[in-house]
Amino acid sequence: MIDLNFFIIPTTTAKGEEIEITNDWTIEVIVNGDTKFTKKLGAREGCNPKLKPGMMHRLPDLPSLTLSSEWDISKWMTYIPRNVYLSEISIPGSWESLNPNFQGTNPSIEDQYKYGCRAFHINCCYQQSTNILGIDDGGPSTERYLNPNNVYMTSSTNPTFASALKSIAGCVSDEEYMVVLCTLRLKAGIPKGHNWMEDIATACSTLEEVYDAGDLTPNTTVGDVLGHVIVIVNCEGEPTELVPEGSSKCVFVNDPLKLSYEDFPADGAYNDKFLYNEDRTSTGVNFLSTQGQVNVLDTSKPYVTMFRGFAPRLSKSFSGTITDYSGGIKWPDYYDVNTGSREKNIQTLLDVSMNSFGGKDYAHDKWYYFGIGGYIKATAEQKPDPEDYRTVATTLNTWFNSRVVNMSPTPTAPQTKLFPVGIVLMNFASVDTYSGSAVNGKTTTVNILKLNNRYHKAFDPSKPAFPVKPKVDESKIEENKTSSRAAADGWD
């Protein structure tokens, strides 16, 4: 919607006559610098068509430009004003972005980028033969359990962290930014003399596109980070204790994949941790998140955990809903969080975002992250248990999409609140169907990114919404050029 107000100083014609608004007056709209639409004007009936000082002259409503094809979702971020705070942006993305188990056969950053993803997840694991920091790209054939807590990738051909980050950074345009979340694979082994966060820092230092997160504050805007990738490293512990000394362009957060009973004593909990700079000082940005994958078993409260909907590895056959199982527990290291519990945690955090964005003058110090990807166990008896990625996608993608769509005001609910959902990482983010299952990834991705157009975002008034661009050379514009993308009813 565009509301145009023209302020004109009235004068007279060469003959001394008052100037009259007629169909000799036109308005021109130039699209993408090369397509021009022209609309003849003329005052609305009942309004004085002659320009008078101090009078308002109503023109006829201008016809709409109806796009004949779907909105180009690959460019969604280029339309966001440059002075909007980062806390305002909803960014869809992929969980384990280069793992075919989570993103489908032969996943590529380019394809995910094309379908709107601007947030990516790299799950790190060292290569056994090279001691190079690589990526867990799925499948037991590429892993070797030297002992249960010492896992390496046995193939030296799986992607390295450096190559994956370079691939992501190579996609970012000068008018956009991206986010990369880095985690260390559960039970990953670390070669002697290595620190995985230092190896990430080294890879980041070679890429100009990686944003120096030492400059990150709650008031950082889109324009401040254009053309860059913000790299977030999940320490799985307090950054003040774990972040190594030395230079790094990353930010660090303690956002455990292993959920303790103390942190999640009941459904509806979420993590609330600060993002830290390389010097172990806080950026002032709170990282509110929920990405539950596994729960650390508290042997003193096993049934509380089960009652909440966590499915343990059981020592004997069991089917049905686990609510009060009194059998023995086998391999009691972790519990996998079922989708029902995760929905409750996610909904709680959605409510926090909704309430935080209820007013105009709120702090911009909260980033929201919803990790709706992951897996659940297909059986309880086999070891290792088969991992079910599609069920998570068909359940959580669909459920999250319904929450996003239902934010939009309707004739029956015109006051529905609109608010950002921050970073959202999901399984099968760029497809709606995988192996015959409706995973609804692309649909959810599109609806998440469309949130960015549906509400008035808080911005820094001291910065321009869009930098001034060079004036279009009208001599290079073909007069009344026909557009292939618009049916311009009423336009010449």
Side-chain angles (χ1 to χ4, degrees), residues 73 149 223 242 285 299 314:
I73 63 175
N149 294 300
L242 297 178
V285 175
T299 55
L314 307 176

Side-chain angles (χ1 to χ4, degrees), residues 167-307:
S167 176
I168 294 171
C171 289
V172 67
S173 77
D174 292 340
E175 296 298 318
E176 300 181 312
Y177 75 96
M178 295 185 192
V179 177
V180 173
L181 177 68
C182 305
T183 58
L184 184 67
R185 186 201 187 281
L186 290 173
K187 302 185 179 182
I190 299 179
K192 184 177 180 180
H194 283 263
N195 181 302
W196 73 286
M197 289 181 284
E198 286 183 349
D199 290 341
I200 286 178
T202 299
C204 290
S205 66
T206 64
L207 297 174
E208 293 182 358
E209 294 89 347
V210 175
Y211 180 69
D212 189 346
D215 298 328
L216 187 67
T217 72
N219 292 325
T220 300
T221 65
V222 171
D224 297 328
V225 297
L226 290 179
H228 289 92
V229 176
I230 299 173
V231 178
I232 302 173
V233 178
N234 187 355
C235 295
E236 294 276 351
E238 291 303 326
T240 52
E241 301 173 2
L242 297 178
V243 174
E245 299 286 351
S247 177
S248 177
K249 294 196 287 185
C250 309
V251 284
F252 304 88
V253 67
N254 176 21
D255 189 17
L257 293 174
K258 295 177 291 187
L259 306 179
S260 68
Y261 179 82
E262 287 72 21
D263 290 337
F264 279 64
D267 285 329
Y270 58 89
N271 289 312
D272 183 358
K273 304 292 175 64
F274 278 104
L275 292 178
Y276 285 82
N277 292 316
E278 61 173 340
D279 58 2
R280 305 181 186 182
T281 58
S282 172
T283 62
V285 175
N286 281 83
F287 198 67
L288 279 63
S289 67
T290 177
Q291 58 173 9
Q293 287 227 61
V294 293
N295 182 273
V296 179
L297 174 62
D298 185 331
T299 55
S300 66
K301 306 181 183 69
Y303 302 113
V304 174
T305 303
M306 291 183 206
F307 180 78

Side-chain angles (χ1 to χ4, degrees), residues 18 46 88 114 124 128 150 154 189 233 250-251 258 360 422:
E18 293 178 323
E88 297 279 328
K114 178 175 65 176
C124 300
Q128 184 190 16
N150 201 10
T154 59
V233 178
C250 309
V251 284
K258 295 177 291 187
K360 295 181 179 179

Side-chain angles (χ1 to χ4, degrees), residues 25 27 46 86 133 285 314 351 359 377 416:
W25 288 53
I27 181 173
L86 297 187
L133 187 65
V285 175
L314 307 176
D351 292 341
K377 298 298 183 185
T416 301

